[in-house]
Amino acid sequence: MNSTSPRRRFARAAVAGIALTGLLSACGGSGDGDSSASGPVTLPFWGWANGQEAVVKAFNASHKDVQLKYTKVTDQLTMQKQLTNAVKAGNAPCLVQNTAEYVTSWVSQDALADITKYVESSKDKFNPGSWAGAQVQGKLYGVPTSSSPNFTIYRTDVFTKYGIKPPATWDDFIAAGKELKKHGIKITNYAGEDPSTLEVLAMQAGAHWYSVDGDAWKVDFQDAGTLKAAKVIQEIIDNDLNSKLSFADYAAVQRNFDNGGTATRQISTWQMAGMVQNFTKSFGKWALTPWPTFTGEAAKTPAGTNLTGSVTLVTKECEHQQQAAEAALWMSTDPGAVKTMASPETGNGVMPALADSDTYVAESISEKLLGSNYQPAQQIVKDSLKTVTTDWTFGPNWTAMFTEMQAGWAKVVSKEQKVTDLLAHMQQWTVADLKSRGINVKG
């Protein structure tokens, strides 16, 4: 939610362990490429995250036989479009930054290399959820680079001024939004192009848009969890508690938060980087509080905002798949590289995908932004990693599905249709789309 791009979240893809015929229209190959080639070799690497150029520079300085050639892509959605074109043209780069929700889609297009034999010995270095995000049907197609702790960041001065407590539940969140509305302040921002708000709340509520039933995919955009999430979102929209600023004008969104026009964000660590880089007025006035719960339920955070829980994928076209896999491992485990990416000043403020990432929490959040709230914020980040949803599955047509959902979400935000109208449409559309791809589906 509330990121620089509509797609920026990491989830522990339950599809990782599935080995069923007919679930994918195609399967990524396990070709070795020219893994025996001696250096020096050059590996093209596409990514969008801040800090990657510095990491590439450090890698090249410490490796004689392998060099990375970095190309910065605008954002995650642009990446998917450019990679699609490159795969079709037969000139895809060796290494690609991406996020877990796209892995199944790229495997189904036979675009990724199976690098299991090159990286499986490093499994214990990573947390289980992040490791699962790089897999499909038990095979690894990349190396995880980050996790995605989730929480709320809010303006302490605004909340104190109007006597509002940090919201513990979504009911509290809506009540706080109604109070702030009296003073011309919005409690959150719903960008019309970004339906990830609906996704992450549904995930938190126990929804399963995609699951596996026998030898088929099951699709359900209208289960109890999704409808519970839809009710919260609809109430926020109906009561005009949300700003409607598009991330197409990223600077305007950041000014709005900096000026106090919108008082909270549900985010992960990496989104703080944009705040630090763009704010001028509100440093020290922000604090963290846990992600709101549904009333009466235990703490549970969605498995991604993220943007950013990323993986570095190796493409099937790469002629040096072993070297590419080893380079991806280095970028995810080298202490200097991890520290660079973890900092909101030098990188993206991402939490590492490593099994022991607590030591990087202080690096991944900004003392400049949080001021006196910096120390307590570290524990909130650590705690959020312990309550992450673990049973969300990304389907094989996720990219196309999300694009379709974007168009409907814009109408939801502009009050042209209800959230439930969008969900009914997505149910029919997703089933039909999977069938058109020759994929077994129920729903």
Side-chain angles (χ1 to χ4, degrees):
M1 301 170 67
N2 300 322
S3 82
T4 60
S5 124
R7 306 304 309 135
R8 75 264 184 249
R9 295 161 317 284
F10 168 80
R12 286 145 168 81
V15 71
I18 298 167
L20 298 171
T21 302
L23 292 181
L24 300 173
S25 58
C27 290
S30 58
D32 295 334
D34 187 10
S35 60
S36 62
S38 58
V41 298
T42 299
L43 306 174
F45 171 33
W46 290 3
W48 65 80
N50 293 332
Q52 284 179 333
E53 291 177 88
V55 170
V56 167
K57 185 177 180 179
F59 177 91
N60 289 342
S62 60
H63 292 76
K64 295 181 180 179
D65 295 334
V66 181
Q67 297 284 284
L68 298 177
K69 183 180 180 182
Y70 182 68
T71 298
K72 188 166 187 176
V73 178
T74 304
D75 54 37
Q76 186 167 218
L77 283 179
T78 302
M79 172 68 80
Q80 312 317 317
K81 296 174 184 177
Q82 293 187 357
L83 184 56
T84 296
N85 294 335
V87 169
K88 289 179 180 179
N91 59 3
C94 275
L95 293 163
V96 180
Q97 179 190 357
N98 228 290
T99 47
E101 66 264 37
Y102 292 110
V103 178
T104 306
S105 295
W106 286 118
V107 171
S108 72
Q109 296 176 56
D110 203 23
L112 303 182
D114 175 5
I115 61 168
T116 306
K117 63 183 178 181
Y118 304 131
V119 301
E120 61 183 344
S121 62
S122 298
K123 178 180 179 180
D124 291 344
K125 296 180 180 179
F126 297 88
N127 68 60
S130 297
W131 191 250
Q135 297 181 58
V136 175
Q137 295 182 279
K139 297 179 180 180
L140 287 152
Y141 295 90
V143 177
T145 61
S146 62
S147 301
S148 184
N150 293 282
F151 41 80
T152 300
I153 190 168
Y154 69 100
R155 282 288 293 263
T156 56
D157 56 333
V158 173
F159 273 63
T160 299
K161 181 177 181 179
Y162 299 114
I164 304 171
K165 294 181 179 180
T169 68
W170 286 112
D171 287 340
D172 295 340
F173 190 82
I174 291 169
K178 290 178 179 178
E179 180 61 32
L180 290 171
K181 180 183 175 181
K182 299 175 184 178
H183 309 286
I185 301 170
K186 305 295 187 180
I187 195 165
T188 191
N189 181 57
Y190 288 169
E193 74 275 10
D194 188 3
S196 61
T197 297
L198 176 57
E199 177 196 342
V200 293
L201 261 69
M203 188 186 299
Q204 180 192 9
H208 295 91
W209 291 354
Y210 294 87
S211 59
V212 174
D213 185 359
D215 64 350
W217 285 96
K218 181 180 178 181
V219 175
D220 193 350
F221 283 80
Q222 297 169 299
D223 61 7
T226 303
L227 295 178
K228 183 163 58 175
K231 183 176 182 296
V232 170
I233 293 170
Q234 195 65 61
E235 190 165 356
I236 289 171
I237 291 173
D238 287 347
N239 285 280
D240 297 312
L241 308 183
N242 59 297
S243 300
K244 303 175 184 178
L245 300 175
S246 169
F247 283 97
D249 190 348
Y250 184 62
V253 175
Q254 296 293 3
R255 282 196 301 271
N256 181 261
F257 286 115
D258 196 24
N259 292 332
T262 303
T264 79
R265 301 178 70 184
Q266 274 75 46
I267 61 171
S268 187
T269 55
W270 72 274
Q271 286 138 314
M272 290 188 189
M275 301 171 81
V276 171
Q277 293 159 9
N278 289 276
F279 285 5
T280 60
K281 301 177 180 178
S282 60
F283 290 119
K285 298 178 181 179
W286 295 86
L288 304 188
T289 192
W291 187 280
T293 65
F294 289 95
T295 300
E297 297 185 10
K300 187 178 181 182
T301 54
T305 50
N306 228 110
L307 305 72
T308 55
S310 297
V311 293
T312 304
L313 301 174
V314 178
T315 66
K316 195 174 183 182
E317 289 181 33
C318 183
E319 295 181 358
H320 308 285
Q321 293 174 12
Q322 180 174 352
Q323 290 94 328
E326 291 169 352
L329 272 174
W330 186 93
M331 289 190 287
S332 290
T333 58
D334 176 78
V338 173
K339 185 175 181 179
T340 294
M341 296 305 296
S343 170
E345 277 78 28
T346 61
N348 247 31
V350 296
M351 280 291 290
L354 300 175
D356 180 14
S357 58
D358 280 2
T359 56
Y360 292 94
V361 169
E363 295 286 345
S364 69
I365 62 177
S366 171
E367 185 170 8
K368 182 179 182 181
L369 181 67
L370 298 169
S372 61
N373 302 305
Y374 174 68
Q375 290 295 333
Q378 295 179 40
Q379 190 60 49
I380 289 173
V381 173
K382 293 175 184 178
D383 290 344
S384 73
L385 285 169
K386 300 174 184 177
T387 60
V388 174
T389 306
T390 58
D391 60 351
W392 182 260
T393 301
F394 292 113
N397 66 337
W398 185 271
T399 305
M401 182 282 294
F402 196 83
T403 300
E404 180 69 18
M405 182 175 280
Q406 282 180 284
W409 175 255
K411 295 180 179 180
V412 169
V413 172
S414 63
K415 296 186 177 181
E416 296 177 56
Q417 67 173 356
K418 299 290 186 180
V419 181
T420 50
D421 297 329
L422 171 59
L423 293 170
H425 170 72
M426 292 311 304
Q427 178 68 30
Q428 295 180 350
W429 186 94
T430 305
V431 170
D433 183 68
L434 287 172
K435 288 181 178 179
S436 73
R437 297 169 187 261
I439 297 174
N440 296 337
V441 60
K442 297 178 181 179

